[in-house]
Amino acid sequence: MTSGLVCVVGSVNLDTLVRLDRLPEVGETLLGQPLGSLPGGKGFNQAVAAARSGAPTRFCAQLGDDGAGQELRRAMLRAGLEVDLHLSEVVPTGSAYIAMLADSANSIIVARGANAELTPDAAAAAVEGASVVLTQLEIDPRTAEAALAAGRRTGARTILNAAPAEGVTPSLLAVTDLLVVNETEAEALGGIDALLGAGPDALVVTLGSHGARWLTPGGDDLAVRAFEVDAVDTTGAGDAFCGALAAALAGGADALSALLRASAAGAVTTTAVGAQTELLTPAAIDRLLVGAA
């Protein structure tokens, strides 16, 4: 099946990973095992996931004029993304610090850096020709809104991953066709019933090890179970879900098929360290789907 273009507008960070047995208390110093630095940021992770799930993908982001920015640009090109990059000569490239715990869970601190300077005009211009526009909230919510509004004007399907759950306004939800949140984000935004009445045509709630749901104001409620895999790192699983969901919808998948493919992509991502594993491919998604049938 030929896929339409996915345009992801969002954040890009250089992630620093450290393995810990537990999180430190306030004032406490712990020794951890350094695991190196990897490309990350919700926007970048989702763009890579969309591309590795089979969709031609454009990524619009802002970098700092520094070594981290140069490294991340090279990573984008290696991932096969069409890039629409903007440069800050004042603010450094975004960064994230990830504590990976023994049970494969993680805790993350994000410093937005240049991500916060991506402008609404840049975002709106980037979505031209896209079938699906996907954004998140590690960038300025006004920039996310501009991307979705421009997508609406050109006939694209618009997806907002409201993560983190900050800066969500009625005008932002009004240009959102599909809102994606996890359980914590849904609660922070007023709960499922409130979100279903807030404007989006559909709501997807990810439930971690319990799967995911696709709900609509009209009463549709599709649910899929999580796929069983040997998870080693949950970093980026939600981003892989969003990117694969966008790719599936750009390829013409219906709601249930898109939800299944997104859930499979999230599961594949947990089987390797880092948020952008090369293990994520259309074939890997297909294998999980066949195995669960």
Side-chain angles (χ1 to χ4, degrees), residues 122-147:
V127 308
E128 182 179 356
S131 296
V132 173
V133 176
L134 168 62
T135 190
Q136 330 74 31
L137 295 175
E138 286 183 345
I139 57 175
D140 190 318
R142 294 170 297 181
T143 300
E145 183 176 332

Side-chain angles (χ1 to χ4, degrees), residues 169-198:
T169 61
S171 61
L172 179 57
L173 294 178
V175 291
T176 299
D177 294 326
L178 179 60
L179 176 64
V180 183
V181 290
N182 62 26
E183 291 177 284
T184 301
E185 292 154 357
E187 183 177 351
L189 293 172
I192 289 175
D193 290 341
L195 291 174
L196 284 172

Side-chain angles (χ1 to χ4, degrees), residues 104-287:
S104 81
N106 59 64
S107 185
I108 305 173
I109 299 172
V110 174
R112 291 200 299 171
N115 293 308
E117 294 198 345
L118 184 64
T119 67
D121 286 346
V127 308
E128 182 179 356
S131 296
V132 173
V133 176
L134 168 62
T135 190
Q136 330 74 31
L137 295 175
E138 286 183 345
I139 57 175
D140 190 318
R142 294 170 297 181
T143 300
E145 183 176 332
L148 299 181
R152 272 281 184 89
R153 289 193 296 271
T154 58
R157 192 167 195 168
T158 60
I159 305 176
L160 172 65
N161 175 214
E166 299 175 0
V168 178
T169 61
S171 61
L172 179 57
L173 294 178
V175 291
T176 299
D177 294 326
L178 179 60
L179 176 64
V180 183
V181 290
N182 62 26
E183 291 177 284
T184 301
E185 292 154 357
E187 183 177 351
L189 293 172
I192 289 175
D193 290 341
L195 291 174
L196 284 172
D201 294 337
L203 172 67
V204 169
V205 183
T206 59
L207 306 171
S209 61
H210 297 291
R213 295 170 68 191
W214 178 301
L215 305 102
T216 69
D220 295 328
D221 189 349
L222 303 174
V224 298
R225 293 182 296 176
F227 291 87
E228 294 186 7
V229 295
D230 294 325
V232 297
D233 178 15
T234 60
T235 305
D239 293 334
F241 179 101
C242 291
L245 184 71
L249 293 172
D254 61 23
L256 180 58
S257 296
L259 199 60
L260 284 166
R261 297 194 70 81
S263 296
V268 171
T269 298
T270 69
T271 63
V273 173
Q276 297 182 12
T277 174
E278 294 183 2
L279 296 177
L280 179 58
T281 63
I285 292 172
D286 290 340
R287 284 193 296 271

